[in-house]
């Protein structure tokens, strides 16, 4: 839904501003399906799960032409559970909420936003393949001792489970396929500029079928040494398009700067366009923790088959398997499942339906 030619007016006694061309778009995604889990706390389980292939989202985004190549931009985006309609993340627009200015010099935005482990190493690296990477393909495994929130879910922040509040973000314009960005999330702690803060940066290059990407994020957490330490991530990756095939790879390095807990992730994926409506994606990742995390390891394999009825509606099937090893507490745990395995193996099969609006 689009509305154009709207007039922006200041509140209270401020003078009326001049009319300017703008637009506001309403958008969203609805995703639901049934997942069968082979080993959840020692038992099999079948669940109705929503927001797995893509989060269930509802949002507004828009811009206003201010003249001279300058635009005002904004986004308000929330995530919800389709099974009961409840908001996820703590508020109506907890997923993203920002306002900013965009011009020939780049874009500055302020608010609650994604940082560059997601922007560069997922959105820009995967490109069209991002639509076929589910929550099950993210990182979790037997690394709860790493100290990240959500039980270790998306510990390297590539999946977008984390956003940065109170953030100021700058993105350069694209120059011959090259763009970059920096972000700083203010911690909001009186008397300390750096405590509980987040620093992030990313750089991206695209030339024809090749895309290369790198990112860094250091998020100090109030639960880790009173906000003076946190989780530091960096990674590199890229993709290559070859006719009906798209190949991608990524390496990420995650460290708790207080405890020394560390996980390396090596991940490769491939997409094959069987037909204009049918896409098959395969994915393999190897996750390796250091001695602080019991030298735990996990191998994970995933397959996704997607069939598009239209540009807005598709059906899909996921098959995921993880095998963990290491110390006695090395329980397999596929990202997005309600609980860990009672042992070293866990698998999941899912059939789902997705609609974009």
């Amino acid at each position: 839904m689009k509305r154009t030619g709207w007039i922006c007016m200041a509140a209270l006694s401020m003078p009326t501003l001049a009319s300017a061309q703008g637009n506001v778009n309403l958008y969203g995604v609805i995703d639901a399906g049934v997942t069968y889990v082979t080993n959840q706390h020692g038992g099999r389980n079948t669940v109705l799960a929503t927001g797995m292939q893509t989060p269930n989202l509802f949002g507004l985004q828009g811009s206003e032409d201010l003249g001279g190549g300058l635009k005002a931009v904004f986004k308000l985006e929330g995530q919800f559970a389709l099974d009961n309609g409840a908001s996820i993340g703590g508020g109506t627009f907890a997923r993203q909420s920002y306002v900013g200015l965009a011009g020939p010099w780049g874009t500055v935005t302020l608010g609650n936003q994604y940082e560059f482990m997601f922007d560069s190493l997922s959105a820009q690296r995967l490109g069209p393949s991002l639509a076929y990477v589910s929550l099950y393909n993210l990182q979790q495994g037997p690394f709860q001792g790493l100290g990240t929130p959500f039980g270790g879910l998306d510990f390297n922040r590539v999946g977008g489970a984390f956003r940065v509040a109170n953030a100021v973000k700058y993105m350069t314009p694209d120059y011959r396929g090259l763009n970059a960005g920096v972000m700083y999330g203010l911690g909001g702690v009186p008397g300390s500029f750096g405590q509980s803060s987040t620093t992030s940066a990313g750089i991206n290059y695209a030339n024809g079928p090749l895309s290369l990407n790198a990112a860094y994020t250091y998020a100090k957490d109030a639960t880790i040494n009173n906000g003076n330490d946190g989780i530091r991530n960096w990674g590199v990756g890229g993709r290559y398009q070859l006719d009906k095939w798209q190949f991608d790879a990524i390496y990420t390095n995650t460290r708790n700067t207080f405890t020394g807990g560390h996980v390396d992730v090596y991940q490769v994926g491939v997409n094959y366009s069987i037909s204009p409506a049918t896409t098959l994606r395969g994915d393999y990742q190897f996750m390796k923790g250091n001695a602080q995390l019991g030298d735990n390891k996990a191998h994970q394999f995933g397959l996704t088959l997607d069939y598009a009825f239209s540009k807005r509606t598709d059906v899909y099937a996921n098959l995921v398997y993880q095998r963990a090893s290491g110390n006695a507490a090395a329980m397999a745990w596929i990202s997005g499942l309600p609980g860990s395995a009672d042992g070293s193996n866990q698998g999941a099969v899912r059939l789902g339906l997705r609609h974009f609006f």
Side-chain angles (χ1 to χ4, degrees):
M1 180 175 71
K2 182 178 289 186
R3 189 161 56 92
T4 59
W6 55 284
I7 298 176
C8 177
M9 299 183 65
L12 302 176
S13 60
M14 295 296 289
T16 301
L17 299 177
S19 174
Q21 291 298 312
N23 67 79
V24 177
N25 296 314
L26 169 68
Y27 67 93
V29 187
I30 299 173
D31 176 290
V34 176
T35 301
Y36 170 75
V37 186
T38 62
N39 184 353
Q40 180 188 328
H41 296 311
R44 300 174 181 177
N45 196 9
T46 302
V47 297
L48 172 68
T50 73
M52 294 293 109
Q53 191 66 26
T54 306
N56 296 309
L57 301 177
F58 176 87
L60 294 162
Q61 63 180 359
S63 65
E64 181 188 17
D65 187 352
L66 303 176
L70 185 65
K71 294 191 300 182
V73 296
F74 80 91
K75 177 174 281 191
L76 298 171
E77 182 179 89
Q79 183 177 350
F80 60 94
L82 189 62
D83 51 351
N84 60 16
S87 295
I88 295 175
T92 303
F93 297 116
R95 188 83 184 185
Q96 294 187 82
S97 54
Y98 64 79
V99 66
L101 292 172
W105 37 263
T107 303
V108 173
T109 49
L110 302 94
N112 185 46
Q113 310 172 67
Y114 288 114
E115 38 81 21
F116 290 98
M117 290 300 291
F118 175 79
D119 275 357
S120 292
L121 293 179
S122 280
Q124 295 209 42
R125 178 182 68 92
L126 289 170
S129 293
L130 184 61
Y132 310 112
V133 177
S134 77
L135 181 57
Y136 301 138
N137 297 116
L138 304 187
Q139 285 69 48
Q140 189 158 11
F143 306 109
Q144 286 69 53
L146 187 57
T148 59
F150 311 137
L153 170 66
D154 192 24
F155 57 77
N156 59 4
R157 303 178 74 102
V158 170
F162 299 91
R163 273 76 60 194
V164 180
N166 310 315
V168 180
K169 185 178 184 180
Y170 169 70
M171 281 294 303
T172 70
D174 189 86
Y175 178 73
R176 297 185 178 181
L178 183 69
N179 65 71
V182 293
M183 168 189 276
Y184 190 78
L186 286 81
V189 179
S192 175
F193 185 74
Q195 196 172 355
S196 297
S197 63
T198 298
T199 304
S200 185
I203 186 168
N204 313 283
Y205 175 72
N207 184 3
L210 178 66
S211 175
L212 299 172
N213 315 88
Y216 169 90
T217 295
Y218 182 24
K220 296 181 180 180
D221 194 289
T223 65
I224 302 176
N225 192 22
N226 297 316
N228 294 301
D229 282 281
I231 305 298
R232 186 182 63 217
N233 282 289
W234 65 268
V236 294
R239 75 172 190 267
Y240 188 82
Q241 184 75 39
L242 183 64
D243 194 23
K244 294 184 178 182
W245 298 85
Q246 179 175 296
F247 304 91
D248 57 80
I250 185 175
Y251 164 76
T252 63
N253 179 298
T254 301
R255 177 175 292 274
N256 184 317
T257 61
F258 183 62
T259 68
H262 175 99
V263 182
D264 294 301
V265 176
Y266 306 84
Q267 187 172 10
V268 293
V270 59
N271 279 29
Y272 178 65
S273 179
I274 299 172
S275 72
T278 309
T279 301
L280 178 66
R281 176 171 177 82
D283 177 272
Y284 166 74
Q285 56 184 287
F286 174 60
M287 299 173 275
K288 181 180 183 300
N290 66 354
Q292 182 68 27
L293 301 177
D295 291 316
N296 286 354
K297 304 176 182 65
H299 298 268
Q300 182 169 306
F301 304 87
L303 284 174
T304 295
L305 180 64
D306 184 277
Y307 177 78
F309 290 113
S310 69
K311 291 183 178 180
R312 296 168 53 189
T313 303
D314 59 340
V315 292
Y316 62 88
N318 300 125
L319 174 64
V320 188
Y321 173 78
Q322 183 183 116
R323 180 174 179 82
S325 62
N327 63 25
M331 305 296 183
W333 193 349
I334 294 172
S335 171
L337 293 186
S340 67
D342 185 14
S344 61
N345 299 280
Q346 190 173 55
V349 180
R350 174 176 173 82
L351 296 176
L353 171 67
R354 178 171 56 173
H355 179 74
F356 297 86
F357 63 89

